[in-house]
Amino acid sequence: QVQLVESGGGLLQVVDSLRLSCAASGFAFGLYVMGWFRQAPGKEREFVAAINWSGDTTYYADSVKGRFTISRDNAKNTVALQLNSLKPEDSAVYYCTADKSLATMRTLSSRYWGQGTQVTVAS
């Protein structure tokens, strides 16, 4: 059974930092691109960041570049997203996702999705 379980969300103040984690199981984690998307109320789900299977290549949305950092630990089957210099517009449900193709992932067609974790940034 495939599972992607996110954790670490919460209510924060502007300029706070937060680390989201995603624990994966049930598939060959080391063969998949891992990513994070987010969805705010009334808005479409949007790409945030992704990391290739080996962890040596990362991709970011322009809106988070320089503030967020994605990383993975293939030994522990986990992927993390470090969120720094948070802004109210970063408030959203953050989803962990996995697919073998970054191109597929960017079209919101990833094979696996987590249930999401809420991040709320108060001004």
Side-chain angles (χ1 to χ4, degrees):
Q1 180 182 1
V2 172
Q3 283 192 311
L4 292 175
V5 180
E6 302 97 335
S7 62
L11 174 62
L12 305 120
Q13 301 294 318
V14 169
V15 309
D16 279 347
S17 296
L18 186 69
R19 185 175 179 85
L20 304 181
S21 294
C22 173
S25 61
F27 65 99
F29 180 82
L31 298 181
Y32 279 71
V33 176
M34 298 300 298
W36 289 91
F37 280 69
R38 67 186 181 186
Q39 187 168 18
K43 296 188 176 181
E44 294 185 350
R45 192 171 297 190
E46 64 175 1
F47 171 79
V48 175
I51 187 167
N52 73 336
W53 67 272
S54 62
D56 61 3
T57 304
T58 55
Y59 312 85
Y60 296 95
D62 288 342
S63 59
V64 306
K65 201 171 294 184
R67 299 189 299 120
F68 292 7
T69 303
I70 189 171
S71 60
R72 68 188 295 161
D73 185 336
N74 286 349
K76 296 182 179 179
N77 285 9
T78 58
V79 59
L81 185 68
Q82 178 70 36
L83 293 69
N84 297 329
S85 301
L86 283 161
K87 305 174 182 180
E89 52 264 41
D90 293 321
S91 298
V93 177
Y94 283 72
Y95 296 91
C96 176
T97 185
D99 198 90
K100 289 189 175 180
S101 165
L102 176 64
T104 300
M105 181 179 289
R106 284 185 174 268
T107 65
L108 292 172
S109 301
S110 289
R111 186 167 187 178
Y112 305 124
W113 289 90
Q115 294 300 305
T117 185
Q118 177 72 49
V119 173
T120 303
V121 183
S123 57

